[in-house]
Each structure stands twice: as C-alpha cells, then as structure tokens.
Amino acid sequence: QVQLVESGGGLVQAGGSLRLSCAASGRTFNTYNMGWFRQAPGKEREFVAGISWNFGITYYADSVKGRFTISRDNAKNTVYLQMNSLKPEDTAVYYCAARLGFVSGDYSLYNYWGQGTQVTVSS
C-alpha cells in the first residue's frame, strides 16, 4: 500500500518555474514506478512524465520534453517534477501516481494516486 501527497503547485507567470513534490508513505516505495499526470478542465487526464524505480529511467510527453524534469529520491520517498518555461497550456491539476508494472502513459494502469495539486500559468 502506498499513499501519495503532492505539493508545490501555485500560480506563476508564463516563462516561470515550479517544482512539484510527491511524498509517499510505505516501506516499498522504491519498488514502484512513478508517473506525473495532469488534467485540465474538460480534458482527459494525460501523461506528463514517468520514472522507473530501479535505474531512474525517465519518460516525457512530447509537450513537456526539454522543459520538465522528473526525479526521485528513494531515501526520502519523494518524487519531484521540476517545471521550467511554463506556458498557459500547462495549467491543470497535477497528480502523481504509482504502479508496480513498467512506467506507462495509460493512467488507468496506475494503482495509487495523490489528491492532486493545482498549477495555474498566467499569460
């Protein structure tokens, strides 16, 4: 069982940066592959970035590649999403998620979810 709590969201101007954190409880956190997803009003939840539990292999959606960086600190049971050069279209609720299988862009495959944190980018 894993419980996830996101933090770090807020309001930022276009071109600015934010760092999201996802704190996990559970002794087996370092065996879970982690993902960040986002959902804007009226839109489907979409994959943003993922990171594997063992070698820290990272995956990104094309829309954020080169601007966002996902990382994890297994000693702190925390996953991060550094977001730079933010755009108004990045506005959404951001969720972290965990699964034992391979990192996937399909949100339905993730077993555990946080409550989400709002990111708003003004133009």
Side-chain angles (χ1 to χ4, degrees):
Q1 188 84 4
V2 175
Q3 292 183 323
L4 305 172
V5 179
E6 302 98 334
S7 61
L11 173 64
V12 64
Q13 288 189 330
S17 298
L18 283 175
R19 188 174 83 153
L20 305 183
S21 298
C22 173
S25 63
R27 292 177 295 174
T28 59
F29 166 77
N30 61 358
T31 64
Y32 283 81
N33 293 306
M34 303 297 295
W36 283 98
F37 290 78
R38 66 187 181 187
Q39 188 165 19
K43 293 189 176 181
E44 192 167 314
R45 191 166 298 191
E46 64 173 358
F47 174 79
V48 175
I51 187 166
S52 68
W53 72 269
N54 46 5
F55 300 111
I57 299 171
T58 57
Y59 306 83
Y60 296 95
D62 288 342
S63 59
V64 306
K65 207 171 289 184
R67 299 188 298 123
F68 290 11
T69 302
I70 188 171
S71 61
R72 67 189 296 164
D73 186 338
N74 287 340
K76 295 183 178 179
N77 281 10
T78 303
V79 177
Y80 304 97
L81 185 68
Q82 177 67 44
M83 305 186 296
N84 299 327
S85 302
L86 282 161
K87 304 175 181 180
E89 51 263 44
D90 294 318
T91 296
V93 177
Y94 282 70
Y95 300 90
C96 69
R99 71 182 302 252
L100 288 173
F102 292 111
V103 172
S104 172
D106 182 349
Y107 67 84
S108 69
L109 297 179
Y110 285 75
N111 307 101
Y112 303 103
W113 290 87
Q115 82 290 349
T117 185
Q118 176 70 47
V119 171
T120 303
V121 184
S122 64
S123 56

